[in-house]
Structure formats: structure tokens, C-alpha cells
Amino acid sequence: MADTDPLKDLELLIRSRYCVVHVDTAEEERAAGLVSHVADRLGLPLFEWSRTKGLRRTDKDGAIFKTQEPAGALAHIAAARFPAVYHFRGLGPHLQDPDVAALLRDAAAPFAEVGGAIVLTGADVTLPDAVGPMSARVELAPPPLEEYRRLLTRVLRDVHARTPVRVEMTPRDTTRLLNAIKGLTLMEAEKLLTRAIIEDGRLTPDDLHVVVEAKREIVEREGLLEYYPAEETMADIAGLEGLKQWLAQRRAIIAEPERAAAYGLSFPKGVLLVGVPGCGKSLCAKAVAMEWALPLLKLDPANLYNKYIGESEKNFKRAVETAERMAPVVLWIDEIEKAFATAGDGDGGVSQRVLGTFLSWLQDRNGDVFVVATANDVSRLPPEFLRKGRFDEIFFVDLPDEAARRALFAIHLKRRGQAPARFDVDVLARATDGFSGAEVEQVVVSGLYTAFAASQPLTTATLLEEAARTQPLSRTMAEKIAALRAWARERTVAAG
């Protein structure tokens, strides 16, 4: 997204005689500073309104009588016809009242002649239709990285003035911390940094967990995304060397965003993983977050849908805005075909509208959100998903080969306290030709149950018996897997 200057945008809109301007942001203090600066540049007096204090001119003491209620404040502006900038905080919920909406229109209309505007700030403001032709919107983007860097310098200076502070951070550690803070408001970031430094009188890479926990609270408060702790690594995934190499090449962009920007590289968009069920697609999403040291959020599209008209689209927008606010982040959407396979008229067009919103966001998203979407049944995916620009790459995840199965047995045996060296993993790998990663894991789990019931140690023979009793998907769904491979041959990149 091209960089924009909200200060210039707001000034231009007011000079162009837009009578109502909504500054879309959750950072009221930044917005207040922006509005004040614009009023000064325009040479207009500035009035501020809040529900508790009423309407007051910023360069004079006291509030205007009987303006605590929105209706009173707007009625005063309509009667005054005075060229000025009027900044309203927290007016959004009151705009549902038809009387307040009508008063806003009446108060704003004279500014087309006398100059000035009513500026509304907040993240949940829906302007009434009555002011549509005379209104405009300015989005206040999150602070740039350099602004967070200046904030960190200031916090360190202020805390050090009261008590000694040790900074044990390399330049790369500092960049990681600043990237983790991105998406928080400056006020939230200041509180977090101050708390992290004061707790032990130090600033170290370990303080990163304070930011992660704060962002977890944001996700849980919204309720549309799930936060997953980073546990798996690429070492937990057997095979998929092509995908691993692709991800490794892009890891440097995450670790050194400023150097990447100097090369003309932007944050990667994401990948779509299609393939046989149980072959590690979902595990890859978790591993990417761990390897890149980024938070992992899971979007369950089923949580988006609401019986009320328009609410499903709003839920999606809230979900992606939360993800963008937490950026840089990995956003995992599992079995994405289940969410949009029914896009059509059967549900009143809701799925189709959410699909359209989702595809537009994939193409034009703001913020560093790396999407990992997985799909088992590509025949149910809308063709729009496969268009270039939605994802950086589409990978096909096939059944593991013999070498990957050897690695899988070693991983799952070790994970359950069994020494892989005690087992003939070569024989086990050959005996499980056509098994998925999940099926290999289940052979180990079932073998352990059998050995436990018999009060005997787990052996290669026990595992071979379990494998012989298993009917893998490659046999029970041979036709579907063959069709999937044929589809993927010319459309995807092999993950293995």
C-alpha cells in the first residue's frame, strides 16, 4: 500500500469543503494531535467535544453551557454557523439516533460556505446516510517503525532518569522487539515497555514475551481469532524440503525488514497448501510461526457467520483488523474450502459476500499478515482463490516418501520417550508405503497402547503389526488422490 499522509489528507478534505470527516482510528490521542495540527495549519479555532466535558474551545477555559449531550452540542454548532474545526470523540454510538443524525447534517451543512468541518474520531463510527454526500473518511494508519523506535528511546531515557537501566539488546534484538510492538497504540506500547524495563531494571530479548502476552489479550478480547502458542518447529516436519527452502529464503525479510525494504522487497503475503489429508499442512502453519518468531492466529471461518444481515461481513473485517493490528503475524485458515465451498444463493448470498470481502483483503491487505491457508478438497475451492496475487505460492503436499517416513517414525518415537535407535526404522518406512504423516503417527500411538496393555516394551514387530492392520487413505481414497495429483501437476509447486 502506498504511504499516505493523514495530515495532508485531512487538510485537503476540509479545504475541499467536506463538512464531516471521520478519522478512522482507535488511537484517540494521535487523532487529537492530528486534528489540532490541521486546525492550526488552516488558521481555524479548534473546539473539542466529549460526553463528559461537553463542547469547549481549546484556547479558552470552560465548556459551552448545555453541550454535554450530543444534541445540545450539535444544535449549538448549527446555530453558530462559525468557521472552525469541531472535534468529536465518542460520537459514534449516538449516531444511531435519527435525531442526532439529523442534527449532525444540519450542523455540518453551513461549513460548505463558511469553512471548517466536524471531525469525528474513533474506530467504530458509521456515518448516517444523511451526511453521506458531504462526508469523507481518513484512515490513520499504525505508527511507522521509526516512531516506535523514538518511543523506545524516550521510555529508556525517562526510566533511566529515575533508576539505572541495563540494555542487553543487539540491533537485531531491538528490531525484533519493535516489530513485535507494531500494531499496538503508542500508549499501549509505552505502558508495556515501561513495565518490562521497570520489572528488573533491564531491557533484554526475554522482554519480548510481555508484548506477546499483551497481543494475546487483544485476540481473546475480540473473540473471532484463536491464539496458538508457538511450539512446533520445522524439525518436527519430515520431508517438504521445497516448502522449507521457500520459507527459509523469506525468513530474512521477517528478521531484517528495513534491509529487505532497501532491496525493494515487501512482507510476503502467504501460501496456500493443498494436498492429501494428514500430511502436515496444518503443522506447517504452526511451524512457520515458530521459525519466524511471530504470533500465530487461527481464523475459523465458521465463527464469522451471523444470522443478521451484514454482521458476517463486519465480523470478517473485525477479524482481519485484529490480525493487522497484531502484525507482523501468521494467520492460519485451516480447511478453507469448508468456509466458501457453499458460496452462492442458498444462504441468501452471505457466503458470496464474505468470499468477496475475503478475496479483496487477500489482494489488498494492509499490515504484515502472512496467511497460511490449507485445503484438502481443491474441487470445492472457488477458482478466484487460485488467481495470482492472492498468495505468493500454491504448494502441493503429497504423501511422504520413504525417507520422510523414516524421519516421521524417528520424530514420533522420540516425542513419546522411545529411542529411535532401538527400532528398525528402515523396515518400518518400507512397510508403510502410501501412509500419510498422521497415519504413521497413529501406528506409533496404537503400538504403544498394545505394548502398554501387554506390559511389554514397544518393538518393531509390534509397530509392523499395527501398520498391517491399517488401511491408509491412499488405498481407501485412491481415485480421489489420483485426481488431486493430476490437478496439482500443472497448477502448483511440489512442497516435497
Side-chain angles (χ1 to χ4, degrees):
M1 182 183 67
D3 291 334
T4 60
D5 185 341
L7 178 64
K8 290 182 179 178
D9 290 347
L10 182 57
E11 181 181 359
L12 178 61
L13 288 170
I14 296 176
R15 288 187 183 279
S16 302
R17 300 303 172 96
Y18 281 92
C19 305
V20 179
V21 183
H22 170 214
V23 179
D24 190 359
T25 179
E27 297 189 81
E28 288 286 7
E29 294 307 317
R30 280 184 72 209
L34 173 70
V35 176
S36 176
H37 198 167
V38 166
D40 186 58
R41 286 173 60 148
L42 293 170
L44 292 172
L46 174 64
F47 290 79
E48 291 183 341
W49 178 88
S50 69
R51 184 68 178 76
T52 55
K53 297 179 180 178
L55 189 67
R56 66 179 187 88
R57 184 164 168 165
T58 56
D59 58 354
K60 297 184 182 297
D61 294 331
I64 298 170
F65 185 58
K66 289 188 177 180
T67 57
Q68 279 85 0
E69 292 295 332
L74 292 170
H76 172 84
I77 296 170
R81 297 178 62 89
F82 183 61
V85 174
Y86 293 88
H87 175 202
F88 279 73
R89 303 189 193 196
L91 189 64
H94 301 282
L95 295 177
Q96 304 301 314
D97 183 339
D99 291 337
V100 173
L103 281 167
L104 176 62
R105 179 198 59 211
D106 295 343
F111 294 123
E113 298 177 10
V114 303
I118 294 175
V119 181
L120 313 180
T121 59
D124 297 315
V125 177
T126 302
L127 294 177
D129 294 338
V131 299
M134 64 176 76
S135 67
R137 174 178 170 273
V138 173
E139 183 175 356
L140 188 57
L145 195 66
E146 281 308 307
E147 197 161 347
Y148 289 109
R149 195 181 297 276
R150 288 193 293 271
L151 173 66
L152 175 60
T153 301
R154 179 170 60 79
V155 169
L156 283 169
R157 184 188 64 234
D158 292 348
V159 175
H160 189 70
R162 302 192 301 270
T163 182
V165 175
R166 283 191 299 159
V167 178
E168 302 170 6
M169 303 275 282
T170 66
R172 176 171 288 192
D173 292 333
T174 301
T175 299
R176 282 185 62 203
L177 178 64
L178 294 174
N179 275 324
I181 289 172
K182 277 175 63 178
L184 298 177
T185 67
L186 290 175
M187 185 177 295
E188 289 171 336
E190 182 175 6
K191 289 179 180 177
L192 281 175
L193 289 171
T194 303
R195 187 179 80 189
I197 295 168
I198 288 177
E199 276 182 345
D200 56 4
R202 299 185 305 156
L203 182 64
T204 72
D206 291 339
D207 290 321
L208 215 61
H209 82 276
V210 176
V211 179
V212 172
E213 286 304 312
K215 289 190 167 182
R216 181 205 291 265
E217 291 174 7
I218 293 172
V219 172
E220 291 175 347
R221 187 166 63 239
E222 289 295 328
L224 292 171
L225 299 172
E226 297 176 59
Y227 181 97
Y228 276 74
E231 295 172 344
E232 287 82 1
T233 69
M234 284 300 173
D236 296 315
I237 303 174
L240 305 186
E241 299 305 323
L243 174 61
K244 289 178 180 178
Q245 182 179 4
W246 189 93
L247 292 168
Q249 288 176 343
R250 284 148 182 81
R251 182 178 183 181
I253 297 175
I254 313 302
E256 302 178 83
E258 292 165 328
R259 190 169 74 88
Y263 270 70
L265 295 172
S266 58
F267 193 88
K269 289 188 173 183
V271 292
L272 173 61
L273 306 178
V274 301
V276 183
C279 288
K281 298 186 296 298
S282 298
L283 186 61
C284 282
K286 300 176 184 179
V288 170
M290 182 66 181
E291 290 293 307
W292 287 359
L294 296 179
L296 175 65
L297 307 180
K298 183 180 179 183
L299 171 62
D300 183 353
N303 291 338
L304 301 178
Y305 291 96
N306 190 293
K307 63 182 179 180
Y308 297 109
I309 295 175
E311 286 302 311
S312 299
E313 297 93 314
K314 288 182 181 179
N315 284 342
F316 175 76
K317 289 178 181 178
R318 282 174 49 215
V320 296
E321 284 171 0
T322 300
E324 289 175 346
R325 186 182 176 196
M326 291 189 65
V329 68
V330 176
L331 180 63
W332 169 30
I333 309 174
D334 203 21
E335 297 189 59
I336 197 169
E337 73 273 22
K338 291 183 178 179
F340 303 117
T342 58
D345 298 327
D347 57 0
V350 173
S351 297
Q352 190 66 52
R353 292 196 300 272
V354 175
L355 171 63
T357 305
F358 180 55
L359 291 176
S360 297
W361 177 77
L362 281 177
Q363 188 75 29
D364 305 318
R365 77 198 75 167
N366 302 327
D368 298 339
V369 180
F370 185 81
V371 178
V372 180
T374 70
N376 293 326
D377 187 354
V378 291
S379 66
R380 299 175 65 193
L381 274 178
E384 299 95 322
F385 267 103
L386 308 179
R387 206 189 90 187
K388 286 293 183 183
R390 312 289 193 201
F391 298 95
D392 293 317
E393 196 59 84
I394 302 174
F395 286 95
F396 177 65
V397 183
D398 206 343
L399 294 166
D401 58 18
E402 186 174 321
R405 293 195 300 277
R406 280 198 298 272
L408 282 166
F409 272 109
I411 289 170
H412 292 301
L413 287 166
K414 186 176 180 181
R415 185 177 290 172
R416 290 162 178 81
Q418 305 292 317
R422 293 199 305 105
F423 300 86
D424 193 337
V425 292
D426 292 329
V427 170
L428 291 169
R430 288 194 296 271
T432 51
D433 184 28
F435 280 50
S436 69
E439 288 163 344
V440 168
E441 180 179 14
Q442 195 55 43
V443 166
V444 175
V445 172
S446 298
L448 281 168
Y449 273 113
T450 300
F452 180 77
S455 299
Q456 295 177 349
L458 182 65
T459 65
T460 300
T462 303
L463 293 173
L464 289 172
E465 290 171 6
E466 294 297 336
R469 284 195 285 267
T470 301
Q471 288 295 321
L473 283 176
S474 60
R475 295 175 200 160
T476 59
M477 300 179 61
E479 295 80 6
K480 285 190 176 182
I481 291 176
L484 181 59
R485 286 170 172 162
W487 177 90
R489 195 169 295 120
E490 301 298 329
R491 296 176 175 87
T492 66
V493 174

